[in-house]
Every structure is written in C-alpha cells, then in structure tokens.
mmCIF file of all heavy atoms in Angstrom:
data_model
loop_
_atom_site.group_PDB
_atom_site.id
_atom_site.type_symbol
_atom_site.label_atom_id
_atom_site.label_comp_id
_atom_site.label_asym_id
_atom_site.label_seq_id
_atom_site.Cartn_x
_atom_site.Cartn_y
_atom_site.Cartn_z
ATOM 1 N N LEU A 1 -2.875 -2.608 -0.690
ATOM 2 C CA LEU A 1 -2.361 -3.853 -0.930
ATOM 3 C C LEU A 1 -1.162 -4.159 0.124
ATOM 4 O O LEU A 1 -0.529 -3.230 0.560
ATOM 5 C CB LEU A 1 -1.691 -3.966 -2.286
ATOM 6 C CG LEU A 1 -2.514 -3.541 -3.462
ATOM 7 C CD1 LEU A 1 -1.733 -3.557 -4.780
ATOM 8 C CD2 LEU A 1 -3.738 -4.400 -3.628
ATOM 9 N N LEU A 2 -1.094 -5.393 0.513
ATOM 10 C CA LEU A 2 0.057 -5.861 1.305
ATOM 11 C C LEU A 2 1.012 -6.576 0.287
ATOM 12 O O LEU A 2 0.673 -7.540 -0.362
ATOM 13 C CB LEU A 2 -0.327 -6.839 2.373
ATOM 14 C CG LEU A 2 0.783 -7.416 3.246
ATOM 15 C CD1 LEU A 2 1.618 -6.265 3.936
ATOM 16 C CD2 LEU A 2 0.279 -8.429 4.204
ATOM 17 N N MET A 3 2.292 -6.082 0.215
ATOM 18 C CA MET A 3 3.149 -6.509 -0.846
ATOM 19 C C MET A 3 4.514 -6.938 -0.274
ATOM 20 O O MET A 3 4.786 -6.625 0.886
ATOM 21 C CB MET A 3 3.351 -5.438 -1.877
ATOM 22 C CG MET A 3 2.078 -5.012 -2.587
ATOM 23 S SD MET A 3 2.390 -3.734 -3.819
ATOM 24 C CE MET A 3 3.261 -4.721 -5.083
ATOM 25 N N TYR A 4 5.297 -7.693 -1.081
ATOM 26 C CA TYR A 4 6.610 -8.004 -0.827
ATOM 27 C C TYR A 4 7.500 -7.732 -2.044
ATOM 28 O O TYR A 4 7.042 -7.839 -3.192
ATOM 29 C CB TYR A 4 6.796 -9.519 -0.503
ATOM 30 C CG TYR A 4 8.283 -9.978 -0.420
ATOM 31 C CD1 TYR A 4 8.869 -9.870 0.823
ATOM 32 C CD2 TYR A 4 8.894 -10.519 -1.582
ATOM 33 C CE1 TYR A 4 10.218 -10.257 0.885
ATOM 34 C CE2 TYR A 4 10.184 -10.941 -1.439
ATOM 35 C CZ TYR A 4 10.918 -10.862 -0.273
ATOM 36 O OH TYR A 4 12.130 -11.206 -0.092
ATOM 37 N N GLU A 5 8.728 -7.183 -1.826
ATOM 38 C CA GLU A 5 9.554 -6.928 -2.907
ATOM 39 C C GLU A 5 11.084 -6.995 -2.536
ATOM 40 O O GLU A 5 11.356 -6.911 -1.311
ATOM 41 C CB GLU A 5 9.313 -5.582 -3.551
ATOM 42 C CG GLU A 5 9.735 -4.320 -2.731
ATOM 43 C CD GLU A 5 9.515 -3.018 -3.415
ATOM 44 O OE1 GLU A 5 9.053 -3.017 -4.600
ATOM 45 O OE2 GLU A 5 9.790 -1.988 -2.836
ATOM 46 N N GLU A 6 11.895 -7.206 -3.549
ATOM 47 C CA GLU A 6 13.356 -7.181 -3.336
ATOM 48 C C GLU A 6 13.901 -6.111 -4.214
ATOM 49 O O GLU A 6 13.596 -6.104 -5.514
ATOM 50 C CB GLU A 6 14.005 -8.502 -3.615
ATOM 51 C CG GLU A 6 13.577 -9.519 -2.463
ATOM 52 C CD GLU A 6 14.321 -10.889 -2.620
ATOM 53 O OE1 GLU A 6 15.269 -10.934 -3.415
ATOM 54 O OE2 GLU A 6 13.957 -11.858 -2.034
ATOM 55 N N LEU A 7 14.712 -5.203 -3.714
ATOM 56 C CA LEU A 7 15.344 -4.115 -4.491
ATOM 57 C C LEU A 7 16.834 -4.409 -4.622
ATOM 58 O O LEU A 7 17.459 -4.877 -3.747
ATOM 59 C CB LEU A 7 15.111 -2.769 -3.839
ATOM 60 C CG LEU A 7 13.657 -2.494 -3.391
ATOM 61 C CD1 LEU A 7 13.591 -1.136 -2.759
ATOM 62 C CD2 LEU A 7 12.767 -2.457 -4.643
ATOM 63 N N GLN A 8 17.364 -4.089 -5.837
ATOM 64 C CA GLN A 8 18.706 -4.571 -6.128
ATOM 65 C C GLN A 8 19.459 -3.309 -6.753
ATOM 66 O O GLN A 8 18.960 -2.419 -7.325
ATOM 67 C CB GLN A 8 18.785 -5.636 -7.070
ATOM 68 C CG GLN A 8 18.209 -5.315 -8.427
ATOM 69 C CD GLN A 8 18.376 -6.481 -9.470
ATOM 70 O OE1 GLN A 8 19.087 -7.386 -9.268
ATOM 71 N NE2 GLN A 8 17.656 -6.372 -10.600
ATOM 72 N N VAL A 9 20.828 -3.352 -6.519
ATOM 73 C CA VAL A 9 21.801 -2.654 -7.306
ATOM 74 C C VAL A 9 22.432 -3.673 -8.201
ATOM 75 O O VAL A 9 22.679 -4.762 -7.746
ATOM 76 C CB VAL A 9 22.784 -1.961 -6.361
ATOM 77 C CG1 VAL A 9 23.928 -1.382 -7.238
ATOM 78 C CG2 VAL A 9 22.147 -0.850 -5.529
ATOM 79 N N LEU A 10 22.572 -3.308 -9.432
ATOM 80 C CA LEU A 10 23.066 -4.272 -10.429
ATOM 81 C C LEU A 10 24.531 -4.642 -10.260
ATOM 82 O O LEU A 10 25.406 -4.264 -11.132
ATOM 83 C CB LEU A 10 22.823 -3.816 -11.828
ATOM 84 C CG LEU A 10 21.307 -3.677 -12.142
ATOM 85 C CD1 LEU A 10 21.069 -3.125 -13.568
ATOM 86 C CD2 LEU A 10 20.558 -5.037 -12.044
ATOM 87 N N SER A 11 24.821 -5.290 -9.186
ATOM 88 C CA SER A 11 26.238 -5.784 -8.871
ATOM 89 C C SER A 11 26.114 -6.916 -7.849
ATOM 90 O O SER A 11 25.283 -6.796 -6.914
ATOM 91 C CB SER A 11 27.066 -4.679 -8.426
ATOM 92 O OG SER A 11 28.313 -5.185 -7.922
ATOM 93 N N PRO A 12 26.789 -8.009 -7.967
ATOM 94 C CA PRO A 12 26.840 -9.065 -6.978
ATOM 95 C C PRO A 12 27.409 -8.589 -5.624
ATOM 96 O O PRO A 12 27.352 -9.311 -4.589
ATOM 97 C CB PRO A 12 27.669 -10.177 -7.577
ATOM 98 C CG PRO A 12 28.579 -9.509 -8.565
ATOM 99 C CD PRO A 12 27.794 -8.343 -9.080
ATOM 100 N N LEU A 13 28.082 -7.402 -5.597
ATOM 101 C CA LEU A 13 28.622 -6.935 -4.373
ATOM 102 C C LEU A 13 27.666 -6.306 -3.443
ATOM 103 O O LEU A 13 28.013 -5.993 -2.292
ATOM 104 C CB LEU A 13 29.817 -5.904 -4.734
ATOM 105 C CG LEU A 13 30.940 -6.374 -5.568
ATOM 106 C CD1 LEU A 13 31.943 -5.272 -5.770
ATOM 107 C CD2 LEU A 13 31.605 -7.595 -4.978
ATOM 108 N N VAL A 14 26.481 -6.014 -3.882
ATOM 109 C CA VAL A 14 25.470 -5.337 -3.070
ATOM 110 C C VAL A 14 24.264 -6.277 -2.890
ATOM 111 O O VAL A 14 23.621 -6.627 -3.821
ATOM 112 C CB VAL A 14 25.030 -4.044 -3.738
ATOM 113 C CG1 VAL A 14 23.998 -3.279 -2.846
ATOM 114 C CG2 VAL A 14 26.131 -3.096 -4.101
ATOM 115 N N PRO A 15 24.009 -6.763 -1.660
ATOM 116 C CA PRO A 15 22.864 -7.645 -1.499
ATOM 117 C C PRO A 15 21.522 -6.918 -1.722
ATOM 118 O O PRO A 15 21.467 -5.700 -1.511
ATOM 119 C CB PRO A 15 23.079 -8.079 -0.013
ATOM 120 C CG PRO A 15 23.766 -6.968 0.643
ATOM 121 C CD PRO A 15 24.739 -6.458 -0.402
ATOM 122 N N ALA A 16 20.501 -7.735 -2.063
ATOM 123 C CA ALA A 16 19.236 -7.108 -2.229
ATOM 124 C C ALA A 16 18.582 -6.745 -0.951
ATOM 125 O O ALA A 16 18.852 -7.334 0.126
ATOM 126 C CB ALA A 16 18.321 -8.169 -2.959
ATOM 127 N N ARG A 17 17.668 -5.752 -1.055
ATOM 128 C CA ARG A 17 16.955 -5.230 0.154
ATOM 129 C C ARG A 17 15.549 -5.947 0.152
ATOM 130 O O ARG A 17 14.843 -5.816 -0.897
ATOM 131 C CB ARG A 17 16.832 -3.770 0.189
ATOM 132 C CG ARG A 17 18.169 -3.122 0.424
ATOM 133 C CD ARG A 17 18.020 -1.568 0.456
ATOM 134 N NE ARG A 17 19.222 -0.894 0.813
ATOM 135 C CZ ARG A 17 19.327 0.379 1.044
ATOM 136 N NH1 ARG A 17 18.315 1.216 0.905
ATOM 137 N NH2 ARG A 17 20.543 0.929 1.456
ATOM 138 N N GLN A 18 15.222 -6.608 1.199
ATOM 139 C CA GLN A 18 13.837 -7.253 1.292
ATOM 140 C C GLN A 18 12.890 -6.339 2.095
ATOM 141 O O GLN A 18 13.214 -5.790 3.121
ATOM 142 C CB GLN A 18 14.027 -8.557 2.022
ATOM 143 C CG GLN A 18 15.029 -9.475 1.239
ATOM 144 C CD GLN A 18 15.230 -10.810 1.976
ATOM 145 O OE1 GLN A 18 14.731 -10.886 3.124
ATOM 146 N NE2 GLN A 18 15.983 -11.657 1.465
ATOM 147 N N LEU A 19 11.638 -6.258 1.596
ATOM 148 C CA LEU A 19 10.616 -5.332 2.171
ATOM 149 C C LEU A 19 9.297 -5.993 2.150
ATOM 150 O O LEU A 19 8.857 -6.499 1.150
ATOM 151 C CB LEU A 19 10.584 -3.977 1.379
ATOM 152 C CG LEU A 19 11.648 -2.978 1.689
ATOM 153 C CD1 LEU A 19 11.621 -1.854 0.601
ATOM 154 C CD2 LEU A 19 11.598 -2.390 3.046
ATOM 155 N N TYR A 20 8.601 -6.005 3.352
ATOM 156 C CA TYR A 20 7.120 -6.223 3.369
ATOM 157 C C TYR A 20 6.545 -4.864 3.675
ATOM 158 O O TYR A 20 6.960 -4.145 4.522
ATOM 159 C CB TYR A 20 6.736 -7.123 4.598
ATOM 160 C CG TYR A 20 7.287 -8.565 4.341
ATOM 161 C CD1 TYR A 20 8.503 -8.935 4.893
ATOM 162 C CD2 TYR A 20 6.577 -9.466 3.578
ATOM 163 C CE1 TYR A 20 8.946 -10.258 4.700
ATOM 164 C CE2 TYR A 20 6.993 -10.731 3.421
ATOM 165 C CZ TYR A 20 8.262 -11.099 3.965
ATOM 166 O OH TYR A 20 8.670 -12.437 3.716
ATOM 167 N N PHE A 21 5.517 -4.457 2.807
ATOM 168 C CA PHE A 21 5.073 -3.081 3.014
ATOM 169 C C PHE A 21 3.597 -3.021 2.491
ATOM 170 O O PHE A 21 3.120 -3.956 1.831
ATOM 171 C CB PHE A 21 5.852 -2.108 2.145
ATOM 172 C CG PHE A 21 5.971 -2.353 0.645
ATOM 173 C CD1 PHE A 21 5.078 -1.649 -0.153
ATOM 174 C CD2 PHE A 21 6.783 -3.308 0.110
ATOM 175 C CE1 PHE A 21 5.149 -1.882 -1.600
ATOM 176 C CE2 PHE A 21 6.760 -3.542 -1.244
ATOM 177 C CZ PHE A 21 5.918 -2.851 -2.081
ATOM 178 N N LEU A 22 2.934 -1.902 2.924
ATOM 179 C CA LEU A 22 1.623 -1.627 2.457
ATOM 180 C C LEU A 22 1.697 -0.626 1.290
ATOM 181 O O LEU A 22 2.429 0.334 1.444
ATOM 182 C CB LEU A 22 0.761 -1.031 3.561
ATOM 183 C CG LEU A 22 0.450 -1.932 4.807
ATOM 184 C CD1 LEU A 22 -0.155 -1.168 5.877
ATOM 185 C CD2 LEU A 22 -0.434 -3.058 4.408
ATOM 186 N N ARG A 23 0.939 -0.805 0.267
ATOM 187 C CA ARG A 23 0.837 0.249 -0.832
ATOM 188 C C ARG A 23 -0.637 0.735 -0.890
ATOM 189 O O ARG A 23 -1.549 -0.085 -1.109
ATOM 190 C CB ARG A 23 1.258 -0.418 -2.161
ATOM 191 C CG ARG A 23 1.114 0.483 -3.342
ATOM 192 C CD ARG A 23 1.844 0.046 -4.571
ATOM 193 N NE ARG A 23 3.278 0.262 -4.374
ATOM 194 C CZ ARG A 23 4.260 -0.129 -5.179
ATOM 195 N NH1 ARG A 23 3.857 -0.682 -6.339
ATOM 196 N NH2 ARG A 23 5.560 0.052 -4.846
ATOM 197 N N PHE A 24 -0.799 1.977 -0.745
ATOM 198 C CA PHE A 24 -2.035 2.569 -0.712
ATOM 199 C C PHE A 24 -2.178 3.642 -1.812
ATOM 200 O O PHE A 24 -1.331 4.527 -2.018
ATOM 201 C CB PHE A 24 -2.294 3.206 0.628
ATOM 202 C CG PHE A 24 -3.664 3.870 0.784
ATOM 203 C CD1 PHE A 24 -4.784 3.380 0.263
ATOM 204 C CD2 PHE A 24 -3.782 5.064 1.543
ATOM 205 C CE1 PHE A 24 -5.983 3.968 0.493
ATOM 206 C CE2 PHE A 24 -5.001 5.741 1.737
ATOM 207 C CZ PHE A 24 -6.105 5.140 1.179
ATOM 208 N N CYS A 25 -3.223 3.570 -2.680
ATOM 209 C CA CYS A 25 -3.437 4.484 -3.738
ATOM 210 C C CYS A 25 -4.629 5.421 -3.433
ATOM 211 O O CYS A 25 -5.683 4.883 -2.938
ATOM 212 C CB CYS A 25 -3.659 3.768 -5.048
ATOM 213 S SG CYS A 25 -4.114 4.751 -6.435
ATOM 214 N N GLN A 26 -4.549 6.642 -3.622
ATOM 215 C CA GLN A 26 -5.663 7.562 -3.479
ATOM 216 C C GLN A 26 -5.675 8.637 -4.548
ATOM 217 O O GLN A 26 -4.696 9.200 -4.902
ATOM 218 C CB GLN A 26 -5.415 8.246 -2.063
ATOM 219 C CG GLN A 26 -6.671 9.146 -1.700
ATOM 220 C CD GLN A 26 -7.856 8.482 -1.486
ATOM 221 O OE1 GLN A 26 -7.983 7.469 -0.734
ATOM 222 N NE2 GLN A 26 -8.945 8.781 -2.189
ATOM 223 N N GLN A 27 -6.863 8.821 -5.092
ATOM 224 C CA GLN A 27 -7.039 9.962 -6.054
ATOM 225 C C GLN A 27 -7.277 11.184 -5.253
ATOM 226 O O GLN A 27 -8.266 11.323 -4.414
ATOM 227 C CB GLN A 27 -8.228 9.640 -6.982
ATOM 228 C CG GLN A 27 -8.302 10.745 -8.060
ATOM 229 C CD GLN A 27 -9.339 10.402 -9.135
ATOM 230 O OE1 GLN A 27 -10.066 9.412 -9.022
ATOM 231 N NE2 GLN A 27 -9.272 11.094 -10.280
ATOM 232 N N ILE A 28 -6.405 12.213 -5.453
ATOM 233 C CA ILE A 28 -6.503 13.426 -4.710
ATOM 234 C C ILE A 28 -7.471 14.446 -5.268
ATOM 235 O O ILE A 28 -8.306 15.099 -4.586
ATOM 236 C CB ILE A 28 -5.103 14.130 -4.549
ATOM 237 C CG1 ILE A 28 -4.087 13.133 -4.020
ATOM 238 C CG2 ILE A 28 -5.128 15.401 -3.764
ATOM 239 C CD1 ILE A 28 -4.422 12.607 -2.695
ATOM 240 N N ASP A 29 -7.542 14.518 -6.524
ATOM 241 C CA ASP A 29 -8.405 15.404 -7.306
ATOM 242 C C ASP A 29 -8.585 14.720 -8.727
ATOM 243 O O ASP A 29 -7.982 13.752 -8.965
ATOM 244 C CB ASP A 29 -8.017 16.862 -7.316
ATOM 245 C CG ASP A 29 -6.608 17.067 -7.896
ATOM 246 O OD1 ASP A 29 -6.359 16.453 -9.050
ATOM 247 O OD2 ASP A 29 -5.836 17.910 -7.402
ATOM 248 N N PRO A 30 -9.430 15.358 -9.532
ATOM 249 C CA PRO A 30 -9.627 14.784 -10.929
ATOM 250 C C PRO A 30 -8.350 14.440 -11.694
ATOM 251 O O PRO A 30 -8.363 13.610 -12.526
ATOM 252 C CB PRO A 30 -10.631 15.679 -11.571
ATOM 253 C CG PRO A 30 -11.307 16.439 -10.467
ATOM 254 C CD PRO A 30 -10.296 16.534 -9.295
ATOM 255 N N VAL A 31 -7.303 15.201 -11.381
ATOM 256 C CA VAL A 31 -6.070 15.002 -12.256
ATOM 257 C C VAL A 31 -4.879 14.589 -11.478
ATOM 258 O O VAL A 31 -3.704 14.596 -11.949
ATOM 259 C CB VAL A 31 -5.749 16.274 -13.042
ATOM 260 C CG1 VAL A 31 -6.904 16.642 -14.036
ATOM 261 C CG2 VAL A 31 -5.510 17.500 -12.133
ATOM 262 N N SER A 32 -5.066 14.216 -10.157
ATOM 263 C CA SER A 32 -3.926 13.904 -9.292
ATOM 264 C C SER A 32 -4.086 12.577 -8.596
ATOM 265 O O SER A 32 -5.176 12.406 -8.037
ATOM 266 C CB SER A 32 -3.656 15.112 -8.395
ATOM 267 O OG SER A 32 -3.299 16.261 -9.037
ATOM 268 N N TRP A 33 -3.086 11.844 -8.431
ATOM 269 C CA TRP A 33 -3.059 10.602 -7.701
ATOM 270 C C TRP A 33 -1.866 10.546 -6.762
ATOM 271 O O TRP A 33 -0.803 11.129 -7.132
ATOM 272 C CB TRP A 33 -3.015 9.367 -8.574
ATOM 273 C CG TRP A 33 -4.157 9.241 -9.631
ATOM 274 C CD1 TRP A 33 -4.358 9.942 -10.716
ATOM 275 C CD2 TRP A 33 -5.270 8.323 -9.493
ATOM 276 N NE1 TRP A 33 -5.495 9.566 -11.314
ATOM 277 C CE2 TRP A 33 -6.119 8.593 -10.590
ATOM 278 C CE3 TRP A 33 -5.596 7.351 -8.513
ATOM 279 C CZ2 TRP A 33 -7.314 7.878 -10.802
ATOM 280 C CZ3 TRP A 33 -6.746 6.604 -8.730
ATOM 281 C CH2 TRP A 33 -7.581 6.880 -9.843
ATOM 282 N N ALA A 34 -1.983 9.899 -5.675
ATOM 283 C CA ALA A 34 -0.848 9.687 -4.729
ATOM 284 C C ALA A 34 -0.821 8.145 -4.417
ATOM 285 O O ALA A 34 -1.828 7.509 -4.232
ATOM 286 C CB ALA A 34 -1.009 10.496 -3.462
ATOM 287 N N ILE A 35 0.387 7.644 -4.415
ATOM 288 C CA ILE A 35 0.574 6.214 -4.015
ATOM 289 C C ILE A 35 1.694 6.223 -2.961
ATOM 290 O O ILE A 35 2.767 6.753 -3.198
ATOM 291 C CB ILE A 35 1.078 5.420 -5.260
ATOM 292 C CG1 ILE A 35 -0.055 5.444 -6.335
ATOM 293 C CG2 ILE A 35 1.438 4.026 -4.830
ATOM 294 C CD1 ILE A 35 0.375 4.668 -7.626
ATOM 295 N N VAL A 36 1.341 5.635 -1.835
ATOM 296 C CA VAL A 36 2.349 5.628 -0.726
ATOM 297 C C VAL A 36 2.682 4.171 -0.299
ATOM 298 O O VAL A 36 1.795 3.275 -0.416
ATOM 299 C CB VAL A 36 1.678 6.302 0.516
ATOM 300 C CG1 VAL A 36 0.465 5.616 1.078
ATOM 301 C CG2 VAL A 36 2.755 6.477 1.657
ATOM 302 N N ASP A 37 3.964 4.006 -0.026
ATOM 303 C CA ASP A 37 4.409 2.703 0.477
ATOM 304 C C ASP A 37 4.917 2.959 1.929
ATOM 305 O O ASP A 37 5.641 3.913 2.191
ATOM 306 C CB ASP A 37 5.613 2.162 -0.336
ATOM 307 C CG ASP A 37 5.222 1.700 -1.779
ATOM 308 O OD1 ASP A 37 4.018 1.591 -1.974
ATOM 309 O OD2 ASP A 37 6.077 1.577 -2.579
ATOM 310 N N VAL A 38 4.630 2.003 2.810
ATOM 311 C CA VAL A 38 5.099 2.087 4.181
ATOM 312 C C VAL A 38 5.274 0.638 4.706
ATOM 313 O O VAL A 38 4.491 -0.196 4.430
ATOM 314 C CB VAL A 38 4.082 2.839 5.092
ATOM 315 C CG1 VAL A 38 2.682 2.193 5.058
ATOM 316 C CG2 VAL A 38 4.648 3.118 6.515
ATOM 317 N N SER A 39 6.342 0.449 5.437
ATOM 318 C CA SER A 39 6.708 -0.877 5.932
ATOM 319 C C SER A 39 5.617 -1.477 6.852
ATOM 320 O O SER A 39 5.026 -0.646 7.628
ATOM 321 C CB SER A 39 8.017 -0.900 6.611
ATOM 322 O OG SER A 39 9.097 -0.848 5.719
ATOM 323 N N TYR A 40 5.365 -2.686 6.763
ATOM 324 C CA TYR A 40 4.531 -3.345 7.664
ATOM 325 C C TYR A 40 5.104 -4.778 7.852
ATOM 326 O O TYR A 40 5.123 -5.673 7.008
ATOM 327 C CB TYR A 40 3.102 -3.555 6.996
ATOM 328 C CG TYR A 40 2.045 -4.117 7.945
ATOM 329 C CD1 TYR A 40 1.413 -3.213 8.876
ATOM 330 C CD2 TYR A 40 1.765 -5.427 7.921
ATOM 331 C CE1 TYR A 40 0.498 -3.790 9.752
ATOM 332 C CE2 TYR A 40 0.753 -5.953 8.775
ATOM 333 C CZ TYR A 40 0.189 -5.109 9.743
ATOM 334 O OH TYR A 40 -0.728 -5.592 10.616
ATOM 335 N N ASP A 41 5.651 -4.973 9.030
ATOM 336 C CA ASP A 41 6.338 -6.173 9.359
ATOM 337 C C ASP A 41 5.373 -7.281 9.708
ATOM 338 O O ASP A 41 4.574 -7.127 10.539
ATOM 339 C CB ASP A 41 7.350 -6.032 10.508
ATOM 340 C CG ASP A 41 8.407 -4.963 10.187
ATOM 341 O OD1 ASP A 41 8.768 -4.851 8.951
ATOM 342 O OD2 ASP A 41 9.013 -4.326 11.103
ATOM 343 N N ILE A 42 5.571 -8.443 9.035
ATOM 344 C CA ILE A 42 4.715 -9.613 9.234
ATOM 345 C C ILE A 42 5.625 -10.836 9.647
ATOM 346 O O ILE A 42 5.077 -11.939 9.699
ATOM 347 C CB ILE A 42 3.878 -9.976 8.044
ATOM 348 C CG1 ILE A 42 4.732 -10.322 6.801
ATOM 349 C CG2 ILE A 42 2.871 -8.897 7.743
ATOM 350 C CD1 ILE A 42 3.899 -10.700 5.650
ATOM 351 N N THR A 43 6.885 -10.573 9.802
ATOM 352 C CA THR A 43 7.824 -11.616 10.177
ATOM 353 C C THR A 43 8.462 -11.357 11.517
ATOM 354 O O THR A 43 8.401 -10.240 11.987
ATOM 355 C CB THR A 43 8.907 -11.841 9.182
ATOM 356 O OG1 THR A 43 9.604 -10.560 9.096
ATOM 357 C CG2 THR A 43 8.362 -12.076 7.703
#
C-alpha cells in the first residue's frame, strides 16, 4: 500500500509529523507475519 499519515504527541506544543510511505505485509511462516513501513516521497 501507498499511505499517508500524521503522527502526534498529545500537546499543541508539538507539531504533527507528516509521512508518505509504503506499507508492505509478508507472511514469513505459518505463524509469523512482518509489516514494514518505508518512506516514499511523492511531493
């Protein structure tokens, strides 16, 4: 997936962080999954 999100600290003193990123999900074995996020700039 290509995604966008804003991350916050719950205070008006800390601005939100903006991210465009790729999210990739992979099943490693029958009982294990890995999900990775990595930045992908489109602006």
Side-chain angles (χ1 to χ4, degrees):
L1 309 176
L2 176 62
M3 300 182 67
Y4 171 86
E5 71 178 358
E6 291 185 14
L7 307 179
Q8 65 176 344
V9 170
L10 293 176
S11 171
L13 302 181
V14 182
R17 293 183 172 183
Q18 302 174 356
L19 284 168
Y20 294 94
F21 63 97
L22 296 170
R23 173 164 293 177
F24 179 39
C25 173
Q26 184 64 55
Q27 187 171 9
I28 305 303
D29 57 42
V31 296
S32 301
W33 299 76
I35 297 177
V36 65
D37 293 345
V38 60
S39 281
Y40 187 82
D41 295 336
I42 60 175
T43 62

